[in-house]
Amino acid sequence: MSDKNHEKKQVRVWCDGCYDMVHFGHANSLRQAKALGDVLIVGVHTDEEISKHKGPPVFTQEERYKMVKAIKWVDQVVEGAPYVTTLETLDKYQCDFCVHGDDITVTADGIDTYHLVKKAGRYKEVQRTAGVSTTDLVGRMLLLTREHFKRGEKEYSVALEHSSNLGTDSTARSPYTGCSQFLPTTQKIIQFSSGLSPKPTDKVVYVAGAYDLFHVGHLDFLEAAHKQGDFLIVGLHTDLEVNRYKGSNYPIMNLHERVLSVLACKYVHEVVIGAPYSVTAELMDHFRVKVVCHGLTPIAPDADGADPYKVPKQRACFKILNSGNTMTTEDIVQRIIRHRLEFEVRNSRKEKKELAMMKGFKNNHKTVEKSQNGDCAIENSS
């Protein structure tokens, strides 16, 4: 009986969304949601629903389901969740309340998707992660700007160059689609970190790369690498290093953003921030690395032309893994470029809806203030 009573006391939390191009902003909201309860259930919308209310998603629903399932704070994923969150949905999954970020989400008709659960008092808000959104990332790819990994005084800024038709730069009018600034802190890294250290008996696995626009290709590879041992460490190259071997405007996400995206993955135990491109003997000895893995993608030489995996090869602990997934960051960018006009329309439409909602909220607030001050007696029908 005591076990059953304990189960009943568990607080079950519901979150839902598109979770398109799952990034550290999504992960951070889910981390905060999980902290409000014991079990986190996440509903993910279908491609059809997203296209109807928001515009075309970048990732397919199957890709999005898989990505959300791999976030370390998620206990269960509900596929094909309704776009408007209902009390019936919360009750079906025995959830006490729904959690969402403090940004605005509306249907194609401009209706708040959480109005039903808000009215019933079963809604809680968490703080949105400033400086990143799917809209923002799409904008970075379309603009092909390098603003997001500038050095010196602008190193931590991810504000973009002018692009009024996208509504994703520092001049954007909406605080939700508009990109403000992502300010990395040690506290944020601690919140995302597992806090674990490898045990003396653990077989430590090391992989390295850019892990830019963290996607299902990365995910499947990390799952395969995770199976090679007990403790997985991911080395992340600096922005300038990534740009050296990938060129163009890569990486799309700066180092600080990539760190959090990788740390949110349940297969990853630790991240080396700004790892050397060549895997050194010092690095392997320091972390007691037993296996070094790489995927099927081509391996670019180091700046001096050397093989970056020379040391692990000499130690006979280098493995090429076939994860069964050939997706690359370049593939994602190409998806965006191919559908550029569709995404520009999507971003513009999203911003207009948010601005309309903001205006409505402001007007409603003014009406309430006037009524409270006795300036006028207006009934609030809501």
Side-chain angles (χ1 to χ4, degrees), residues 2 81 85 113 140 157 159 177 191 222 226 245-246 249 266 276 284 293 298 311 315 328 332-333 358 360 375:
S2 60
T85 311
T113 56
R140 293 189 204 181
S157 171
T177 53
Q191 288 170 340
L222 291 176
H226 179 264
Y245 65 81
K246 297 194 81 167
N249 71 316
K266 67 181 181 182
M284 292 187 67
C293 301
V311 173
R315 296 188 178 190
T328 65
I332 304 304
V333 174
M358 286 164 58
D375 294 333

Side-chain angles (χ1 to χ4, degrees), residues 314-331:
Q314 288 174 339
R315 296 188 178 190
C317 63
F318 179 69
K319 278 190 179 182
I320 292 288
L321 299 181
N322 182 359
S323 67
N325 192 325
T326 59
M327 180 181 287
T328 65
T329 299
E330 289 78 8
D331 293 336

Side-chain angles (χ1 to χ4, degrees), residues 237-278:
H237 301 142
T238 65
D239 298 334
L240 295 180
E241 190 66 66
V242 174
N243 189 249
R244 176 190 68 78
Y245 65 81
K246 297 194 81 167
S248 187
N249 71 316
Y250 293 105
I252 304 297
M253 298 182 84
N254 65 40
L255 178 59
H256 313 293
E257 298 172 307
R258 292 184 284 118
V259 166
L260 295 183
S261 294
V262 172
L263 279 176
C265 177
K266 67 181 181 182
Y267 304 120
V268 177
H269 296 98
E270 184 62 284
V271 165
V272 179
I273 303 172
Y277 187 68
S278 286

Side-chain angles (χ1 to χ4, degrees), residues 327-352:
M327 180 181 287
T328 65
T329 299
E330 289 78 8
D331 293 336
I332 304 304
V333 174
Q334 285 308 310
R335 284 190 193 184
I336 300 293
I337 301 301
R338 280 198 304 271
H339 300 282
R340 173 167 186 148
L341 292 178
E342 292 176 52
F343 285 114
E344 286 182 351
V345 170
R346 161 190 156 157
N347 287 10
S348 177
R349 188 196 311 169
K350 187 170 188 285
E351 186 188 44
K352 285 176 182 175

